[in-house]
């Protein structure tokens, strides 16, 4: 059976991991060149989901799929680095929102621009139709995998 798997190439987990590592390597190298040398892949758990108004840590946890304690630890790091601050939630003054600073907003904008540039490069390489089919299929696999225990 192992021989059959080898003939097909790397499994889905290996391919997904390789894609993630390669994307992160390019993204964080380019972010460092654009003034954000301290940001790390783990910080994406928070920064990738924030907008100008911010979110509660529980919302960040749900969106990222990470435990609230991990999100809290990452928020602490980002506060120390000057990317986010904690503010009272206007809807519930007892709760806190994680809100990006100007430095954080700059990183978020640059990260999104870099990722869009990477996607454009792959779209040019594959062509519009193949790239659109890849994204659609990849999203379908992610949805199916996330729901693996529901059936």
């Amino acid at each position: 059976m192992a021989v059959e798997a080898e003939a097909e190439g790397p499994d889905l987990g290996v391919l997904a991991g390789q894609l993630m590592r390669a994307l992160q390597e390019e993204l964080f190298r380019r972010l460092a060149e654009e003034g954000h040398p301290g940001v790390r892949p783990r910080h994406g758990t928070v920064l990738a989901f924030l907008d100008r108004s911010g979110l509660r840590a529980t919302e960040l946890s749900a969106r990222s799929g990470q435990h609230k304690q991990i999100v809290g630890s990452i928020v602490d790091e980002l506060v120390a680095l000057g990317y986010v601050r904690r503010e009272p939630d206007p809807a519930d003054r007892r709760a806190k929102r994680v809100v990006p600073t100007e430095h954080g907003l700059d990183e978020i904008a640059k990260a999104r621009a870099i990722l869009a540039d990477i996607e454009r490069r792959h779209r040019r390489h594959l062509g519009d139709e193949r790239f659109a089919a890849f994204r659609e299929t990849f999203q379908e696999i992610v949805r199916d995998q996330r729901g693996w225990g529901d059936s």
Side-chain angles (χ1 to χ4, degrees):
M1 179 127 26
V3 174
E4 290 175 25
E6 283 180 27
E8 294 176 11
D11 64 41
L12 190 57
V14 170
L15 289 171
Q18 289 174 342
L19 176 60
M20 177 62 95
R21 282 187 295 281
L23 283 170
Q24 286 178 340
E25 182 180 319
E26 181 175 354
L27 172 63
F28 290 96
R29 182 172 20 93
R30 290 176 62 182
L31 280 170
E33 292 167 359
E34 294 194 30
H36 297 282
V39 74
R40 300 286 176 257
R42 67 185 258 111
H43 298 143
T45 299
V46 171
L47 294 170
F49 299 98
L50 285 180
D51 59 20
R52 187 171 287 279
S53 62
L55 292 169
R56 289 183 185 184
T58 52
E59 293 171 284
L60 287 166
S61 176
R63 290 183 183 191
S64 69
Q66 292 290 334
H67 292 284
K68 189 177 174 190
Q69 293 82 357
I70 292 171
V71 169
S73 172
I74 294 169
V75 169
D76 289 343
E77 290 175 21
L78 291 171
V79 167
L81 291 168
Y83 285 95
V84 300
R85 63 182 174 275
R86 289 182 174 95
E87 294 182 353
D89 188 328
D92 179 355
R93 303 296 276 172
R94 297 169 296 170
K96 298 283 187 195
R97 291 179 77 75
V98 178
V99 180
T101 62
E102 287 304 314
H103 190 54
L105 289 170
D106 183 68
E107 188 280 342
I108 291 166
K110 286 178 177 170
R112 289 177 181 167
I114 291 166
L115 288 167
D117 183 52
I118 292 168
E119 285 197 28
R120 279 191 298 275
R121 187 178 70 229
H122 292 300
R123 183 179 295 277
R124 279 192 309 272
H125 176 77
L126 293 175
D128 289 340
E129 191 174 306
R130 284 182 66 209
F131 187 76
F134 164 76
R135 277 191 63 103
E136 182 180 320
T137 303
F138 199 68
Q139 288 172 339
E140 186 176 340
I141 290 169
V142 169
R143 280 190 304 272
D144 185 57
Q145 184 60 43
R146 282 186 172 162
W148 72 269
D150 297 342
S151 47

